[in-house]
């Protein structure tokens, strides 16, 4: 979000000056035209105070899933009780102590006072609030049932949080075993094999091919620690870079889907996440096509995302 200063003229010829928070100048012009004002000049584009403070605070604080659940539940309960969104945001701003959450709420209130819908604020924080979050609030505002949409969104976030905890709990033990196995192999290659190499060399016995390869690899990684560090850093960087790309996600998904235990777990997680997301979106008033698209974006499994994308084409064609 950015703050723009504008100057416009009314139909009566009066000059109107003010400020408006938007993503682009085009949004400011559209806002002025909707008020039947003729834009004369639009200047600015710097980050607004609330957003800047939230970015500064984000260096030290994060909005956790619990923060999102509490925020949505409080907002939904207050709206259902008959309070206006502005009044609700005022209460929540005064009540919260977390700077980054307060900054988001202040930004939402400012945008509402300038005529923007609530979902626009969360849309501008795309790295914090997922597309499903924005889509459900947008559907609730469009259908006039924001209180029901917020309640369903809070339930959806709660289910997602519980599912994530269960998956992490299920993966903890295998990850510990994998790390232990990698540690044992590293100890053998770095400390044990170099000591045995001298014994093998003095004995004159011809070693099997696999043993010779392991000894060669052990000698390579222990000969130059600077090169090893650079290679390790490059591999970590490449892994983090590659897995964020569509091709990388498809590659890692195909690899994991070949592991028997992980395959079944990923299937269940993907199906649960898809069906729950689709149900929540439909209950919040989202159309079927839009609900399918948002559900596809919420599924991290590339195989299921492709299947859902194909179903969208079939639904669109009747």
């Amino acid at each position: 979000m950015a703050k723009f200063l504008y100057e416009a003229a009314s139909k009566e010829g009066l000059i109107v000056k003010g400020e408006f928070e938007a993503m682009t100048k085009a949004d400011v012009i559209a806002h002025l035209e909707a008020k039947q004002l003729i834009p004369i000049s639009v200047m600015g584009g710097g980050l607004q105070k609330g957003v800047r403070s939230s970015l500064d605070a984000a260096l030290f604080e994060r909005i956790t899933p619990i923060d999102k659940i509490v925020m949505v539940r409080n907002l939904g309960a207050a709206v259902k009780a008959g309070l206006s969104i502005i009044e609700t945001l005022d209460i929540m701003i005064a009540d919260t102590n977390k700077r980054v959450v307060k900054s988001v709420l202040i930004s939402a209130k400012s945008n509402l006072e300038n005529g923007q819908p609530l979902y626009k604020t969360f849309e501008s924080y795309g790295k914090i609030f997922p597309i499903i979050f924005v889509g459900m609030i947008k559907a609730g505002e469009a259908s006039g049932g924001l209180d029901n949409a917020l309640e369903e969104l809070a339930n959806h976030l709660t289910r997602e949080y519980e599912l994530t905890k269960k998956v992490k709990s299920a993966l903890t033990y295998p990850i510990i075993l994998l790390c232990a196995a990698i540690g044992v192999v590293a100890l053998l290659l770095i400390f044990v094999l170099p000591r045995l190499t001298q014994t093998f060399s003095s004995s004159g016995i011809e070693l099997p091919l696999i043993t010779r390869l392991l000894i060669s690899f052990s000698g390579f990684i222990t000969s130059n620690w600077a090169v090893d560090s650079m290679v390790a850093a490059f591999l970590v960087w490449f892994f983090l870079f590659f897995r964020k790309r569509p091709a990388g996600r498809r590659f890692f998904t195909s690899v994991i889907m070949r592991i028997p235990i992980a395959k079944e777990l990923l299937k269940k997680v993907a199906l649960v996440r898809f069906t729950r997301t689709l149900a929540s979106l439909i209950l919040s008033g989202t159309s079927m096509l839009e609900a399918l698209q948002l559900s596809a974006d919420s599924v991290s499994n590339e195989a299921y995302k492709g299947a859902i994308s194909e179903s969208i084409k079939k639904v669109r064609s009747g």
Side-chain angles (χ1 to χ4, degrees):
M1 280 293 189
K3 182 178 288 186
F4 294 88
L5 299 177
Y6 65 82
E7 185 175 345
S10 65
K11 290 184 177 181
E12 293 77 16
L14 297 175
I15 302 298
V16 179
K17 296 181 180 181
E19 60 182 39
F20 185 73
E21 292 160 6
M23 299 294 293
T24 63
K25 288 186 178 181
D27 294 335
V28 181
I29 294 173
H31 171 72
L32 295 174
E33 290 176 346
K35 290 191 170 185
Q36 297 184 340
L37 295 173
I38 303 171
I40 298 175
S41 67
V42 178
M43 298 180 296
L47 288 174
Q48 60 167 303
K49 183 178 179 181
V51 175
R52 186 184 295 111
S53 63
S54 72
L55 294 176
D56 294 339
L59 296 174
F60 308 100
E61 294 180 341
R62 292 289 184 271
I63 294 183
T64 65
I66 296 296
D67 293 329
K68 296 176 187 177
I69 293 170
V70 172
M71 181 194 302
V72 174
R73 284 205 183 280
N74 290 342
L75 188 58
V79 172
K80 183 166 284 191
L83 293 176
S84 68
I85 301 180
I86 298 292
E87 292 174 327
T88 303
L89 290 173
D90 280 331
I91 295 171
M92 293 174 65
I93 290 169
D95 187 57
T96 184
N97 294 321
K98 204 166 187 178
R99 291 177 299 166
V100 64
V101 176
K102 183 172 291 189
S103 297
V104 172
L105 297 175
I106 291 172
S107 178
K109 179 188 174 185
S110 176
N111 292 338
L112 285 170
E113 290 174 339
N114 286 319
Q116 291 195 6
L118 181 63
Y119 82 89
K120 280 286 187 182
T121 299
F122 298 109
E123 190 177 47
S124 65
Y125 292 88
K127 292 184 178 180
I128 300 176
F129 300 100
I131 189 170
I132 175 68
F133 191 105
V134 178
M136 291 183 71
I137 293 180
K138 182 179 180 180
E141 289 183 296
S143 63
L146 181 59
D147 53 345
N148 295 326
L150 289 170
E151 182 179 1
E152 184 57 37
L153 176 58
N155 294 333
H156 172 77
L157 293 174
T158 302
R159 291 192 294 264
E160 277 289 300
Y161 176 66
E162 292 174 350
L163 177 64
T164 302
K165 282 204 309 181
K166 289 179 181 178
V167 172
K168 287 181 178 179
S169 176
L171 292 177
T172 299
Y173 184 63
I175 289 175
I176 291 175
L177 290 180
L178 179 62
C179 292
I182 293 174
V184 169
V185 172
L187 288 174
L188 288 173
L189 291 174
I190 296 172
F191 298 104
V192 178
L193 271 180
R195 295 176 181 273
L196 295 177
T197 301
Q198 297 176 358
T199 303
F200 292 147
S201 300
S202 61
S203 65
I205 301 175
E206 185 178 356
L207 301 174
L209 177 61
I210 295 178
T211 305
R212 294 201 303 270
L213 290 175
L214 286 174
I215 291 174
S216 299
F217 183 67
S218 173
F220 172 76
I221 63 176
T222 56
S223 61
N224 194 326
W225 290 103
V227 175
D228 295 342
S229 301
M230 288 189 291
V231 171
F234 172 77
L235 291 175
V236 171
W237 172 83
F238 180 76
F239 171 76
L240 296 176
F241 174 81
F242 186 57
R243 74 184 182 91
K244 292 181 180 179
R245 299 295 181 269
R249 289 195 294 267
R250 287 193 295 270
F251 171 76
F252 287 116
T253 299
S254 64
V255 171
I256 295 174
M257 291 295 282
R258 297 177 186 275
I259 303 173
I261 298 177
K263 178 181 179 180
E264 293 303 317
L265 178 62
L266 285 180
K267 277 186 177 181
K268 291 177 181 178
V269 170
L271 288 173
V272 168
R273 181 162 286 155
F274 166 66
T275 52
R276 284 180 175 177
T277 302
L278 183 62
S280 298
L281 286 166
I282 292 174
L283 287 173
S284 67
T286 310
S287 65
M288 177 58 74
L289 281 174
E290 189 176 358
L292 284 170
Q293 184 60 60
L294 293 173
S295 300
D297 293 334
S298 70
V299 177
S300 57
N301 190 309
E302 291 295 322
Y304 281 90
K305 186 178 291 187
I308 299 168
S309 299
E310 287 298 320
S311 70
I312 292 173
K313 297 177 183 177
K314 293 181 180 179
V315 172
R316 185 177 285 115
S317 62

